[in-house]
Amino acid sequence: GQVSPRTTDRLVTIPAAFASRSGMYADRDALAAFGRMHAAAKSAGVDLVIISAFRSFADQKRIWENKWTGQTRVEGG
């Protein structure tokens, strides 16, 4: 629950070539696997982009609570 990019070397920054936005992190091994999948997909004419990545417990809790209280709209509601 207390994992963050500052507390572990397992999380690495996702390169801009793979990401829809800056500031996202992924597990080192998962990102390496994604890199191989990205290259294979690109050779088949498919462009894969990461739109969501690692979230700390605090970030996930904030997102969930904002949806629960209605501060963040969900499916137009």
Side-chain angles (χ1 to χ4, degrees):
Q2 299 302 318
V3 176
S4 81
R6 293 178 301 279
T7 62
T8 181
D9 62 354
R10 297 288 314 156
L11 296 172
V12 293
T13 303
I14 298 172
F18 295 162
S20 62
R21 60 184 170 81
S22 63
M24 291 192 293
Y25 295 89
D27 176 83
R28 176 182 310 281
D29 295 339
L31 187 58
F34 179 83
R36 294 187 299 275
M37 184 172 66
H38 184 270
K42 192 163 198 82
S43 70
V46 177
D47 189 27
L48 297 179
V49 178
I50 298 171
I51 60 170
S52 184
F54 169 80
R55 295 178 185 148
S56 69
F57 179 83
D59 287 338
Q60 186 62 40
K61 182 176 183 285
R62 177 185 44 77
I63 291 166
W64 187 91
E65 287 176 348
N66 287 348
K67 289 179 180 181
W68 179 257
T69 62
Q71 188 171 351
T72 298
R73 300 187 76 154
V74 178
E75 297 180 8

